[in-house]
Amino acid sequence: MLVNAKPLQDGFSMPAEWAPQQRVWMIWPERTDNWRDGAVPAQQAFTAVAKAIAEFEPVTVGASASQYDRAQLALDYPGISVVEISSDDAWARDTGPTFVSNGKTVRAVDWRFNAWGGENGGLYASWDKDERVAAKMAAVAGCDRYAADFVLEGGSIHVDGEGTLITTEECLLNPNRNPHLSRADLEQLLGDYLGVSKVIWLPEGLYNDETDGHVDNCCCFVAPGELVLAWTDDPANPNYERCRAALAVIEQSRDAKGRELKVHKMPLPSAIYATEAECQGVEQVEGSQPRTPDEWLAGSYVNFLLVNGGVIMPRFGDPADEPAQALMQQMFPDRKIVAVPGREILLGGGNIHCITQQQPMP
C-alpha cells in the first residue's frame, strides 16, 4: 500500500546497518554493456556474495524473466530465494527501497532514480525498469511504501540509527540529481524520510567514483559515534587530498547526540585498472558507460555489508587486503569477517555494499 504521509510523521526512521536484519536483497546482473563476457563472471561474483550472506541470514535475489532459470540454478543454496523482478542493472542499494522502522513494523521508502545523473552524466540512457524496482521489492516483502518525490540513491547515505546521517556534497548537491533543492531543503527531506536530525556533509567521495562520490565507498558508521574512513598516505594517490578534506570535516563535526566522532582509517588498495581484455569483453552501446584500461577504478574496503553476526567485505588480491581485514575485525570484534573477491564487481562500477540492500527487523 502506498502511504501518503512522510515516515517521520508516522514515527518511522532508518535503523543503522548493524541493527538486526530480516534479509538482504540483491539483483541478478545481466547487462552486457556493463558486465563483461555476457555478465557470466559478474554472475559468479554475485553468487559468491549471496552465498556468503546466506550463512548469516536469508537473501532474496531479483532476476528478470529471461535470466530467472539461470539465476535459480546458480543460487540453489540454503537461505537464498529468487523472485522475478525486471531491472536495468544490478545495483540493489540504489534502485531498491530504503527500509524504515517504527519498532513494530517495517516500511519501504521508494526514492526517485535517474541512473546517477540522468541526461547530465547518467550511466545509461534508459532506467524505467530500475525506477520500478523499489516498489516491486516492497510488494514482495509485504511492506507499505512511501514514494519520495526527489532523486536519491541508497549508496549516497549512511546513518547511525540515532539521528545522524553522513553523505557527500559531490553527490547529493550535484545539479544532476535535484537542481531545484538547496542543502537546507535536502536536510529537511532527509529528516522527513529517514528520521535524522543531523547531516554531516563530506566534500567529496573517492576519485573517479562514477556515482559522483557515494559515501558508502569512502566513509560509514561502524557504531554510534564511530566512523571508518577510506585513507591513503601516498601523496601521489588521487584520493590523498579527498581523504584529508573528509577527515577535517569529521573532526569539526558532532553527531545528533553531540558526540565527537572517532575515526578508523581504512587503507585503500593500490591503484586498480581494468585490463584490455576485460574492457574488450564489455559491449559498446550508445548511452552506456564506456570501459577503458586507463580508467582508475574506485576500489575500497569501506564498501562492505553488515549482516547478522557478520561482515561481508571485498578483497582485491592486494597487499592491503590483510590489514584491511584486520582493521575490520578490530572494529567488529563480535562479528565474523568474510572477505569475498571484489574485482569483478568493481569492474562494473561498485562493490558489495552497492549490490545489496538490507531489510531490517521491525
Side-chain angles (χ1 to χ4, degrees):
M1 182 181 77
L2 187 61
V3 182
N4 290 323
K6 293 176 181 176
L8 182 65
Q9 295 173 306
D10 294 338
F12 283 78
S13 62
M14 181 182 177
E17 197 166 300
W18 54 80
Q21 299 174 9
Q22 293 185 56
R23 76 179 77 198
V24 166
W25 290 85
M26 296 179 65
I27 299 170
W28 187 249
E30 62 175 293
R31 192 181 183 103
T32 55
D33 61 346
N34 189 53
W35 306 104
R36 68 186 180 104
D37 301 340
V40 172
Q43 291 170 357
Q44 293 169 342
F46 276 53
T47 296
V49 172
K51 288 182 177 179
I53 297 168
E55 296 299 321
F56 299 90
E57 63 187 84
V59 185
T60 302
V61 182
S64 69
S66 63
Q67 285 281 323
Y68 183 88
D69 290 341
R70 182 180 182 86
Q72 185 72 61
L73 182 63
L75 297 168
D76 184 13
Y77 192 79
I80 303 178
S81 58
V82 180
V83 296
E84 191 175 312
I85 295 178
S86 299
S87 64
D88 292 296
D89 207 354
W91 306 104
R93 179 66 50 180
D94 294 344
T95 60
T98 297
F99 292 95
V100 292
S101 172
N102 67 352
K104 298 177 183 178
T105 188
V106 170
R107 290 178 177 173
V109 178
D110 180 358
W111 313 105
R112 296 289 306 277
F113 178 76
N114 72 349
W116 309 277
E119 296 180 1
N120 180 17
L123 300 186
Y124 35 81
S126 174
W127 51 87
D128 58 310
K129 293 175 186 161
D130 276 350
E131 271 268 59
R132 296 194 289 271
V133 164
K136 291 179 179 180
M137 285 185 177
V140 173
C143 293
D144 289 341
R145 176 174 62 96
Y146 297 97
D149 192 25
F150 63 102
V151 173
L152 188 133
E153 304 100 35
S156 69
I157 56 170
H158 259 293
V159 300
D160 67 353
E162 296 188 359
T164 313
L165 180 146
I166 191 163
T167 187
T168 68
E169 296 174 347
E170 181 183 3
C171 182
L172 254 63
L173 298 183
N174 196 308
N176 66 11
R177 299 305 205 276
N178 301 289
H180 60 296
L181 297 177
S182 67
R183 180 193 299 250
D185 293 334
L186 284 164
E187 289 189 356
Q188 180 66 50
L189 288 166
L190 291 169
D192 288 342
Y193 282 91
L194 298 174
V196 298
S197 57
K198 176 64 180 286
V199 179
I200 298 172
W201 295 88
L202 304 184
E204 297 177 303
L206 293 185
Y207 171 75
N208 211 34
D209 184 334
E210 60 193 42
T211 64
D212 299 312
H214 272 188
V215 78
D216 73 346
N217 207 35
C218 69
C219 187
C220 71
F221 287 101
V222 297
E226 288 189 37
L227 292 161
V228 60
L229 174 66
W231 192 259
T232 179
D233 286 315
D234 179 6
N237 189 309
N239 289 299
Y240 183 82
E241 295 297 340
R242 290 172 177 248
C243 296
R244 280 154 181 78
L247 180 62
V249 170
I250 294 167
E251 288 178 339
Q252 296 167 13
S253 299
R254 299 292 182 270
D255 67 12
K257 302 283 190 183
R259 293 174 291 220
E260 295 184 8
L261 296 162
K262 178 180 179 180
V263 179
H264 304 271
K265 294 177 179 177
M266 176 65 75
L268 282 162
S270 307
I272 303 174
Y273 295 91
T275 66
E276 186 71 44
E278 287 169 337
C279 294
Q280 288 177 351
V282 180
E283 290 186 17
Q284 298 300 308
V285 176
E286 185 178 355
S288 63
Q289 178 80 348
R291 300 294 178 197
T292 60
D294 60 351
E295 182 180 70
W296 177 285
L297 300 179
S300 172
Y301 302 105
V302 175
N303 209 304
F304 63 88
L305 175 72
L306 293 180
V307 291
N308 295 333
V311 180
I312 315 300
M313 67 177 290
R315 55 181 168 85
F316 302 103
D318 186 89
D321 285 359
E322 189 173 331
Q325 187 164 345
L327 176 58
M328 200 73 74
Q329 190 67 77
Q330 177 187 327
M331 293 188 297
F332 299 105
D334 299 327
R335 293 175 181 261
K336 182 179 179 180
I337 312 300
V338 179
V340 180
R343 180 182 177 87
E344 201 64 47
I345 310 170
L346 178 61
L347 291 174
N351 229 289
I352 291 171
H353 198 258
C354 305
I355 65 170
T356 55
Q357 178 63 270
Q358 74 277 0
Q359 179 183 341
M361 294 285 189

